[in-house]
Amino acid sequence: MTELRQRTAREPDAPPEDKELESESKADGETASDSESRTDLAAPPAPVDNTPEVLNRALSNLSSRWKNWWVRGILTLAMITFFFIIIYLGPMVLMMIVMCVQIKCFHEIITIGYNVYHSYDLPWFRTLSWYFLLCVNYFFYGETVTDYFFTLVQREEPLRILSKYHRFISFTLYLTGFCMFVLSLVKKHYRLQFYMFGWTHVTLLIVVTQSHLVIHNLFEGMIWFIVPISCVICNDIMAYMFGFFFGRTPLIKLSPKKTWEGFIGGFFATVVFGLLLSYVMSGYRCFVCPVEYNNDTNSFTVDCEPSDLFRLQEYNIPGVIQSLVGWKTIRMYPFQIHSIALSTFASLIGPFGGFFASGFKRAFKIKDFANTIPGHGGIMDRFDCQYLMATFVNVYIASFIRGPNPSKLIQQFLTLRPDQQLHIFNTLRSHLMDKGILTAAAENE
């Protein structure tokens, strides 16, 4: 008590807002020690070394630095192999993997919050967190199903009803969770419970929203899914390699192991990698065609006539470069030019997703989000840059690539009433005749 009086005498008067909060806390029966304990977060459990025993024995004679290098390298090759397998299995499996990754990332972040604040034993925290995850996924995936499976939805009566009232149902589900949260509020822990309410919603914003954008990118064509993800993977690997062998200059305090040598080397390697990968993939329809649902076969199709973006074109080389390479023109796919933008973002801006994650982990005194992958940490540790990349790709497609989709317009047109269809038909015919397009076509016939 004497110490508390001395501290009060040394400290200046608190602002009116703080005094109000103080008096409110006292009214709730909260003591000064309770207030201080809120800031003294419980330390999360220490990470466990889950490296396979086979690797531990094989690498036992190496220093910890080289042992970590080999463990990361072997597990990286295993993950890349797994990535090739799921690409081979097709878009539906890719969507399921994205969903699983999203759930695991959400679990890792929520678990950190639960471990940090575990001593308070907050009621319904985990239950409500997973309930909100369910609500948000229902909303986003319902929107996707309605958008990309419009004909199927209109054909099945239950799906048509769910589609018609989808947003109302989604709002009702969220409102139920909101009311449950209010009913779960406990005296003395109001502020902490609102902290965790915000924690859950920020996690949903970071993880669920951006994983939804990944699936939207996939529907534009698998190349828009594979190239950005591969560029982030390449940059992560090459930055680590350049930093491991040549790194001398620290890059950022949030991540002390990152170096300028790794950052710059990763950038140039990723741009070259993006150009080469784009050239290879642009020649295959299964990668460049949009993923669409075929109503006749009730399956996904990736067959189309490639757009100009994926057809070889000839470009003039600037005079300065001509004197160096001796070529006047070069044949390349227009998508390769876009790949430069994608790889540049993956190399220069994408790592800031990792720096953000590093700051988050430092704030809670943890090394990794989890210990799922030996040498790499948790799933979120591997996807911290991928989510930022997915948002950029979605914005890039909407701004520079995507145009009106005739097939979707026709699907919506066919679901209208006959009088509405006739009105649109007459309006379109008048418009084409005014432009002279319909008359010219009739004369040619």
Side-chain angles (χ1 to χ4, degrees):
M1 186 63 86
T2 305
E3 184 183 349
L4 180 61
R5 288 199 190 101
Q6 291 174 354
R7 188 186 306 169
T8 307
R10 288 196 303 269
E11 291 176 353
D13 291 340
E17 304 85 65
D18 292 348
K19 288 182 178 178
E20 288 176 9
L21 289 173
E22 243 178 29
S23 60
E24 184 183 345
S25 297
K26 289 178 181 176
D28 289 338
E30 186 173 352
T31 64
S33 59
D34 290 330
S35 300
E36 290 177 4
S37 64
R38 279 198 307 265
T39 57
D40 296 331
L41 306 180
V48 180
D49 182 14
N50 61 344
T51 306
E53 189 61 31
V54 177
L55 286 180
N56 278 328
R57 285 201 299 267
L59 306 175
S60 58
N61 295 328
L62 298 178
S63 65
S64 59
R65 182 170 182 261
W66 280 100
K67 179 182 176 181
N68 183 62
W69 190 87
W70 278 103
V71 170
R72 285 177 65 95
I74 293 170
L75 269 296
T76 297
L77 290 175
M79 287 188 287
I80 291 174
T81 303
F82 178 70
F83 184 55
F84 283 134
I85 292 172
I86 61 174
I87 289 172
Y88 174 78
L89 293 175
M92 197 65 188
V93 175
L94 281 172
M95 289 180 214
M96 296 300 297
I97 293 296
V98 170
M99 184 71 171
C100 293
V101 168
Q102 174 215 118
I103 293 172
K104 185 67 175 90
C105 290
F106 181 83
H107 170 259
E108 290 178 359
I109 298 176
I110 289 298
T111 299
I112 292 173
Y114 183 79
N115 289 333
V116 167
Y117 299 102
H118 181 65
S119 58
Y120 289 98
D121 195 22
L122 299 180
W124 298 4
F125 168 54
R126 277 193 165 180
T127 303
L128 285 174
S129 297
W130 287 102
Y131 178 81
F132 282 125
L133 176 67
L134 177 66
C135 293
V136 174
N137 271 306
Y138 176 81
F139 171 73
F140 279 124
Y141 283 94
E143 294 281 320
T144 301
V145 168
T146 303
D147 190 22
Y148 289 98
F149 307 95
F150 188 80
T151 306
L152 175 64
V153 169
Q154 294 300 318
R155 193 172 61 197
E156 302 291 337
E157 184 65 19
L159 292 178
R160 190 177 63 81
I161 295 173
L162 287 174
S163 173
K164 183 177 181 180
Y165 301 106
H166 171 67
R167 296 198 174 185
F168 181 78
I169 295 171
S170 301
F171 178 72
T172 303
L173 290 172
Y174 179 82
L175 201 59
T176 302
F178 179 80
C179 293
M180 289 171 64
F181 167 75
V182 173
L183 293 174
S184 73
L185 291 173
V186 177
K187 196 174 184 180
K188 296 185 182 180
H189 304 311
Y190 292 151
R191 187 178 299 180
L192 178 59
Q193 287 182 284
F194 278 101
Y195 285 161
M196 301 317 298
F197 184 78
W199 181 293
T200 300
H201 282 68
V202 170
T203 304
L204 292 171
L205 177 66
I206 293 174
V207 175
V208 181
T209 305
Q210 298 189 67
S211 65
H212 175 70
L213 297 181
V214 172
I215 292 179
H216 268 256
N217 299 340
L218 177 60
F219 275 107
E220 295 295 328
M222 290 182 67
I223 195 169
W224 291 104
F225 175 87
I226 297 172
V227 169
I229 287 180
S230 300
C231 284
V232 172
I233 295 172
C234 174
N235 182 69
D236 192 32
I237 294 172
M238 298 311 297
Y240 177 78
M241 296 288 286
F242 276 94
F244 185 87
F245 290 107
F246 309 109
R248 296 291 183 275
T249 314
L251 176 63
I252 187 170
K253 290 182 179 179
L254 279 173
S255 192
K257 292 184 179 180
K258 299 290 193 300
T259 63
W260 275 104
E261 291 80 3
F263 187 74
I264 296 171
F267 166 70
F268 286 107
T270 304
V271 171
V272 173
F273 172 81
L275 285 168
L276 295 175
L277 181 63
S278 300
Y279 181 83
V280 173
M281 295 187 67
S282 294
Y284 295 90
R285 293 189 180 188
C286 59
F287 293 130
V288 303
C289 291
V291 179
E292 296 180 345
Y293 185 77
N294 190 315
N295 296 296
D296 298 327
T297 61
N298 289 327
S299 62
F300 288 100
T301 59
V302 284
D303 189 23
C304 68
E305 189 63 31
S307 65
D308 292 339
L309 199 62
F310 304 105
R311 293 180 180 175
L312 282 170
Q313 297 184 20
E314 198 167 89
Y315 294 91
N316 292 322
I317 298 177
V320 179
I321 302 178
Q322 283 184 22
S323 58
L324 296 175
V325 298
W327 303 337
K328 293 185 178 180
T329 61
I330 185 173
R331 285 175 60 82
M332 60 187 299
Y333 295 99
F335 180 79
Q336 289 181 269
I337 300 174
H338 294 289
S339 76
I340 297 175
L342 299 179
S343 56
T344 300
F345 184 91
S347 305
L348 301 183
I349 308 299
F352 280 85
F355 301 151
F356 177 86
S358 296
F360 179 87
K361 289 182 285 188
R362 281 179 171 273
F364 294 99
K365 298 179 175 62
I366 56 176
K367 184 177 183 294
D368 298 309
F369 282 95
N371 57 355
T372 310
I373 310 170
H376 291 270
I379 299 296
M380 189 65 200
D381 289 287
R382 293 299 91 214
F383 283 84
D384 46 12
C385 302
Q386 295 288 4
Y387 284 130
L388 191 62
M389 187 70 191
T391 305
F392 171 73
V393 173
N394 191 269
V395 172
Y396 189 88
I397 292 173
S399 302
F400 304 108
I401 305 297
R402 185 188 296 133
N405 191 328
S407 63
K408 289 185 180 179
L409 294 175
I410 292 173
Q411 288 177 359
Q412 295 176 351
F413 176 79
L414 294 176
T415 60
L416 299 175
R417 298 194 309 269
D419 59 313
Q420 293 174 324
Q421 293 179 357
L422 189 60
H423 173 71
I424 294 176
F425 171 76
N426 290 329
T427 303
L428 182 60
R429 184 178 62 178
S430 300
H431 175 73
L432 293 175
M433 290 181 68
D434 290 341
K435 286 195 166 185
I437 298 174
L438 192 60
T439 305
E443 289 177 356
N444 291 335
E445 289 177 0

